[in-house]
Amino acid sequence: MAPRRMETKPAIFCLKTLLLLYSFIFWVTGVVLLAVGLWWKFMLGPYMLLISSSPSSAPYVLTGTGAAIVLFGLFGCFATCRGHPWMLKLYAVFLSLVFMTELIAGISGFVFRHEIKGTFLTAYSAAVMRYDGRDDRSLAVDGVQRRLHCCGVYNYTSWFSSVYFPISGIPTSCCVHVSDCNEADLKNTTLAAQKVYKEGCYELVVSFIESNMGIIAGVTFGIAFSQLVGVTLACCLSHFINSNQYEMI
C-alpha cells in the first residue's frame, strides 16, 4: 500500500493548491459583490426610484450574497488546509447553493428584462409628470438628464404636460449649456427646443440595457458555472484524502 499512498500525495498537494487558489478567487468575487451592493445602496439608491415605484431589494441581495461568498471562501480555505473530507464536502454543498442562486438570478433577469423596461417607462414617466425639482425622484431625474445628456421621456416635449412646466418650464438639467438657459426661454416651447437636449432618456436607457444584456448575462452565467469548478475540486480532494486514509489503515 505504501507505493500507492506515495502516488496519491502529489495529487492531493496539487488539488489543495488549486482549491486554495480557487477559494481565494471565490473570496475576491464575494468582496466585489459586497462592494457593489453597498455602492448600489448608497450611491444609486435615488436612481432606483426611477426603475420601480417601491424600494429595490437588489442591493440587499448583492450585499447578502457577497457577504455569504466571503464567508464561504474563508471556510473553503480553512477546509482545504485542514483536509477533512466532511468539511470539503460541506464546502462543495455551499458552492452548489451559490451556483443555483446565481443561475436563478441570471435567468430571471434575462427573462424579465422586458418587464424591467416597462416598469422603468411607467416609473420614469410618473416622475417627469410629478417633477417639482426638490424630492428624491425629481433629483434622480435631474441626475439622469445631466449624465446621459437627454431630456424627458421620449424627448423634451414630455415636459410640456408636466405640473412643473407652467411654473418654471423645462428643468435646467435638460440644458445643453446651463449658462445659456433662463426661465423665460425654458417656458417658451419654441426657444426651449434650441437650448435643450433633443433625445429622450427612455430610449437611451433601453438601448443601454439591450446592448449590454448579452454581456451581463454572459458574465453572470460564467461566474455561476465557475462554482462547478470548485465543487469538482472539493469532491476530488475529499475522495483522494479518503482513499489515502483508507490505505493507511
Side-chain angles (χ1 to χ4, degrees), residues 21-131:
L21 179 61
Y22 172 84
S23 298
F24 174 73
I25 296 173
F26 185 54
W27 179 83
V28 170
T29 303
V31 172
V32 171
L33 282 178
L34 183 60
V36 170
L38 293 173
W39 174 72
W40 190 330
K41 169 62 180 174
F42 294 108
M43 300 301 293
L44 299 184
Y47 298 105
M48 295 307 297
L49 296 173
L50 302 178
I51 296 178
S52 174
S53 56
S54 58
S56 173
S57 60
Y60 299 104
V61 172
L62 280 174
T63 303
T65 304
I69 289 176
V70 167
L71 293 176
F72 292 164
L74 291 174
F75 177 79
C77 292
F78 179 72
T80 304
C81 292
R82 297 289 294 179
H84 292 313
W86 71 268
M87 295 179 71
L88 292 168
K89 290 176 182 177
L90 183 59
Y91 183 42
V93 171
F94 287 156
L95 291 176
S96 299
L97 291 175
V98 173
F99 165 71
M100 293 300 298
T101 303
E102 291 176 342
L103 192 62
I104 292 170
I107 292 174
S108 299
F110 190 77
V111 170
F112 295 109
R113 65 189 186 281
H114 297 298
E115 291 187 20
I116 293 173
K117 292 189 288 187
T119 303
F120 171 70
L121 175 60
T122 302
Y124 194 75
S125 298
V128 168
M129 292 301 103
R130 299 168 187 162
Y131 179 92

Side-chain angles (χ1 to χ4, degrees), residues 13 21-22 38 41 60 66 95 110-111 116-117 120 126 130 138 148 152 161 182 186 196 207 228 231 238 248-249:
F13 176 78
L21 179 61
Y22 172 84
L38 293 173
K41 169 62 180 174
Y60 299 104
L95 291 176
F110 190 77
V111 170
I116 293 173
K117 292 189 288 187
F120 171 70
R130 299 168 187 162
S138 298
L148 299 183
S161 55
N182 58 66
L186 293 174
V196 299
S207 176
L228 297 180
V231 172
S238 174
M248 290 178 67
I249 297 175

Side-chain angles (χ1 to χ4, degrees), residues 67-226:
I69 289 176
V70 167
L71 293 176
F72 292 164
L74 291 174
F75 177 79
C77 292
F78 179 72
T80 304
C81 292
R82 297 289 294 179
H84 292 313
W86 71 268
M87 295 179 71
L88 292 168
K89 290 176 182 177
L90 183 59
Y91 183 42
V93 171
F94 287 156
L95 291 176
S96 299
L97 291 175
V98 173
F99 165 71
M100 293 300 298
T101 303
E102 291 176 342
L103 192 62
I104 292 170
I107 292 174
S108 299
F110 190 77
V111 170
F112 295 109
R113 65 189 186 281
H114 297 298
E115 291 187 20
I116 293 173
K117 292 189 288 187
T119 303
F120 171 70
L121 175 60
T122 302
Y124 194 75
S125 298
V128 168
M129 292 301 103
R130 299 168 187 162
Y131 179 92
D132 63 8
R134 295 187 299 273
D135 65 15
D136 290 339
R137 282 188 172 84
S138 298
L139 295 176
V141 169
D142 285 335
V144 168
Q145 293 186 148
R146 288 194 185 98
R147 285 171 172 77
L148 299 183
H149 295 173
C150 57
C151 188
V153 182
Y154 294 107
N155 53 49
Y156 68 94
T157 61
S158 302
W159 286 104
F160 296 169
S161 55
S162 69
V163 296
Y164 186 79
F165 186 79
I167 303 170
S168 302
I170 297 174
T172 55
S173 57
C174 277
C175 294
V176 178
H177 302 290
V178 178
S179 59
D180 189 38
C181 284
N182 58 66
E183 188 174 306
D185 290 343
L186 293 174
K187 292 176 72 172
N188 186 309
T189 57
T190 303
L191 292 176
Q194 304 169 13
K195 297 178 180 291
V196 299
Y197 299 115
K198 302 296 189 295
E199 193 167 5
C201 297
Y202 174 70
E203 292 298 331
L204 283 178
V205 172
V206 168
S207 176
F208 174 82
I209 291 174
E210 290 179 343
S211 61
N212 290 279
M213 183 55 70
I215 297 173
I216 295 170
V219 170
T220 301
F221 290 130
I223 293 174
F225 280 99
S226 71

